[in-house]
Amino acid sequence: MGEVQVVAFMVGNEEFCLDISKVREIKEMMPITRVPNAPDFVEGVINLRGQITTVVNLKKLLGYYDIDEDLSKKKIIIAEVKDEVVGIIVDAVSDVITLTDEQIEQPPKTLASRVDIRYIKGIAKINDGERLLIMIDLDKLLGDEF
């Protein structure tokens, strides 16, 4: 029986998670320098201990738009995507969870016909399905962008 540890976080009202092996650290919001002509979901760059790092707004990338969004209370998950370090803005980080193979299901096939689910690794059921986490594959979600 396999297990995986994930970092759970909120984007809007939905709960997502990333494999903990992809996460380097979690930071409070910090000053972001805008980059001209960058895609809408790229908020800009930050100076992370001397390394210039791209910061992506996961809410915008996933299509959840909030016009009056206040980024000051958000968190930045510093993660690895295809050998690059990227900052990912999320609404909140909740916890680290150990999942078993039995708790993870593939997305429903009915969803696949209407939604691009290539970046969804699976859907984790916690507490007998009371809590659902959408498992994101960052390499596939951001792979074409980096």
Side-chain angles (χ1 to χ4, degrees):
M1 176 172 78
E3 289 185 344
V4 62
Q5 280 197 310
V6 296
V7 175
F9 57 89
M10 299 293 294
V11 174
N13 295 323
E14 308 305 325
E15 203 165 14
F16 294 86
C17 64
L18 292 174
D19 189 318
I20 201 165
S21 66
K22 293 283 187 184
V23 176
R24 283 200 177 174
E25 62 184 304
I26 297 164
K27 307 279 290 176
E28 297 294 327
M29 185 50 68
M30 55 198 318
I32 298 174
T33 301
R34 301 280 305 165
V35 177
N37 299 318
D40 187 37
F41 62 87
V42 174
E43 291 292 334
V45 294
I46 57 173
N47 182 351
L48 188 65
R49 291 182 294 284
Q51 180 180 4
I52 301 302
T53 304
T54 302
V55 177
V56 171
N57 187 324
L58 194 57
K59 186 179 274 186
K60 289 181 181 177
L61 185 60
L62 295 174
Y64 298 105
Y65 280 85
D66 185 351
I67 294 169
D68 297 322
E69 188 170 36
D70 177 11
L71 294 180
S72 67
K73 294 176 176 59
K74 310 290 182 190
K75 302 285 186 207
I76 302 176
I77 298 176
I78 306 299
E80 286 186 41
V81 179
K82 293 196 172 184
D83 300 324
E84 292 282 328
V85 176
V86 178
I88 300 163
I89 298 173
V90 300
D91 291 335
V93 177
S94 49
D95 48 1
V96 175
I97 302 167
T98 300
L99 298 171
T100 64
D101 290 341
E102 287 80 36
Q103 291 176 287
I104 302 168
E105 288 191 15
Q106 292 305 307
K109 290 186 180 10
T110 52
L111 197 59
S113 64
R114 305 207 185 283
V115 180
D116 181 3
I117 61 167
R118 290 174 297 170
Y119 64 86
I120 299 176
K121 279 184 165 179
I123 298 175
K125 298 180 296 185
I126 300 170
N127 298 338
D128 293 324
E130 288 180 24
R131 182 176 174 198
L132 298 178
L133 300 177
I134 299 171
M135 302 177 72
I136 292 182
D137 183 332
L138 278 183
D139 288 340
K140 288 183 181 167
L141 182 62
L142 293 171
D144 295 339
E145 311 300 330
F146 292 90

